[in-house]
């Protein structure tokens, strides 16, 4: 009887551990990196700077420095939807963006 109880507890603990590990693997496969390559031209730098400031939550001065140092990684490990939103906002402002 003790061995059956032990096996039941062992299988339950294995299921409790294995499921979260599988979820972690699935989450890691679904994340991306958003890279700002460059503004398309000098006219779009101000627009791109405003979008970068909004996305990152930094001041306009800091965003200007970030845009000037392009290519730069703007966001690591966003979900697919977040990466698509960031990319579309930056492209609408006039930037070249890559999602890896």
């Amino acid at each position: 009887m003790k061995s059956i109880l032990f096996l039941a507890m062992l299988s339950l603990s294995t299921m409790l551990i294995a499921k979260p590990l599988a979820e972690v693997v699935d989450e890691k496969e679904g994340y991306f990196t958003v890279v700002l390559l460059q503004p398309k031209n000098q006219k779009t730098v101000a627009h791109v700077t405003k979008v970068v400031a909004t996305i990152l939550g930094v001041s306009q001065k800091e965003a200007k420095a970030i845009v000037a140092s392009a290519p730069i990684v703007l966001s690591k490990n966003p979900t697919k939807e977040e990466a698509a939103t960031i990319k579309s906002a930056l492209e609408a402002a006039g930037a070249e963006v890559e999602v890896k």
Side-chain angles (χ1 to χ4, degrees):
M1 183 71 175
K2 287 183 181 180
S3 62
I4 294 173
L5 182 61
F6 175 75
L7 290 175
M9 290 177 59
L10 182 62
S11 65
L12 178 63
S13 64
T14 305
M15 289 183 344
L16 292 175
I17 293 171
K19 185 175 180 183
L21 288 177
E23 290 174 358
V24 169
V25 170
D26 289 342
E27 290 176 2
K28 286 292 182 187
E29 291 175 0
Y31 285 91
F32 303 90
T33 302
V34 180
V35 180
L36 171 66
L37 298 176
Q38 65 184 13
K40 290 184 179 176
N41 57 46
Q42 288 298 320
K43 294 179 182 179
T44 62
V45 172
H47 298 294
V48 173
T49 301
K50 288 179 185 178
V51 173
V52 169
T54 303
I55 291 170
L56 298 179
V58 297
S59 69
Q60 291 285 334
K61 186 176 181 180
E62 292 170 327
K64 186 176 180 180
I66 291 169
V67 172
S69 65
I72 188 166
V73 174
L74 289 181
S75 183
K76 288 185 179 179
N77 299 329
T79 62
K80 184 176 183 179
E81 294 81 19
E82 291 171 342
T85 303
I86 293 169
K87 181 180 179 183
S88 64
L90 287 167
E91 286 179 340
E96 292 180 21
V97 183
E98 180 180 50
V99 176
K100 296 180 182 180

